[in-house]
Amino acid sequence: MKKITTRQMVLTAMMTALMCVLAPISLPIGPVPISLATFMIYLSAYVLGWRLSSLSVLIYLLLGFAGVPVFAGYTGGAAKILGPTGGYLVGYILLAIIAGAFIEKGNSKLVLSFSGMVFGTLVLYALGTAWLMVSASMDLPSALLAGMIPFIPGDIAKMIVAYAVGPRVSTLLIKAGVTVEA
């Protein structure tokens, strides 16, 4: 693996910072709130690719784990990762890897990009729902209603916006001389 350049570090830090600013903005609808975190992961997959996007998410999670209020509702701490929403938080890394890999492989083409975002989101839902079932002692239908079904329309909308914005941001960065290939 190549060394990460200073520009790549700065861009990864910037995407992490954006995630830290936008992800806490949330709508509490039950044990799992609606937040802008998945949008930022979709966008970072376009801008950073799978390696640096997953690194950005990992840094975000470590900041939250350390107590910085970067999670939904301006919360943080180990209890959030170990609690009912922890599976979704950990699943963010898998989402970044899967969506980023598909987007890179497909060169930001619509079908592969959406396939990657959808597949990554399904993995996120599966891990988060399973974790929610165990940590909150829920049965599968209750966990699906609390942690997946209400999120589908919003996540589809976030994917559409990320597809509309992500390639343009990447193109602007390339024109500015910023390369993100790792």
Side-chain angles (χ1 to χ4, degrees), residues 107-123:
N107 200 18
S108 299
K109 298 282 190 263
L110 177 66
V111 173
L112 276 175
S113 295
F114 265 87
S115 296
M117 288 187 284
V118 168
F119 182 58
T121 303
L122 290 174
V123 170

